[in-house]
Amino acid sequence: MSEGLTLDDLSVALRALRLLAVDFGHLPAPVLDVTDIFPNRLKLSFHDGLGTFESWRAALGIAPDAVTLGTQNGGRTRVLQTSVEYAGATLKLVAFGQIPASESDGGAA
């Protein structure tokens, strides 16, 4: 925890959140993360698959090639990540999606 920060010190991230709610209130709700560790960052996480991430990515105008793809959980979870500047804040999007067993085991039956 950063010593001495106040709620006002998170105002950049909170302002970005307010603007997202106004401009993109029709999109599915993400898990939100605002922290005093990164006071100018707003993190949106999607744990219900990758489609919700793609909806947000497209709405924010983030190019597909700006997204990094990785795996975790022994290759059973696909992870998409990207970030963009939005309303003065760093907006980070992260999505987690289960990889079907047929893909994660190389197609072995």
Side-chain angles (χ1 to χ4, degrees):
M1 182 179 284
S2 300
E3 192 173 321
L5 288 182
T6 64
L7 187 59
D8 191 48
D9 294 318
L10 303 176
S11 64
V12 171
L14 295 173
R15 179 179 56 242
L17 175 58
R18 186 182 76 217
L19 292 173
L20 286 173
V22 170
D23 293 340
F24 303 106
H26 61 284
L27 292 176
V31 173
L32 300 167
D33 181 17
V34 176
T35 175
D36 62 349
I37 297 169
F38 302 105
N40 292 330
R41 183 182 80 184
L42 173 61
K43 183 176 173 184
L44 284 65
S45 300
F46 308 94
H47 298 268
D48 58 350
L50 306 178
T52 304
F53 174 95
E54 284 298 311
S55 296
W56 276 92
R57 182 202 56 76
L60 290 166
I62 300 171
D65 62 356
V67 176
T68 60
L69 170 65
T71 60
Q72 66 181 35
N73 195 21
R76 294 184 303 229
T77 304
R78 187 167 285 131
V79 182
L80 299 178
Q81 295 187 58
T82 192
S83 61
V84 65
E85 294 299 310
Y86 181 82
T90 299
L91 186 61
K92 182 173 182 175
L93 283 71
V94 181
F96 304 92
Q98 186 174 15
I99 297 174
S102 60
E103 287 182 46
S104 65
D105 65 11

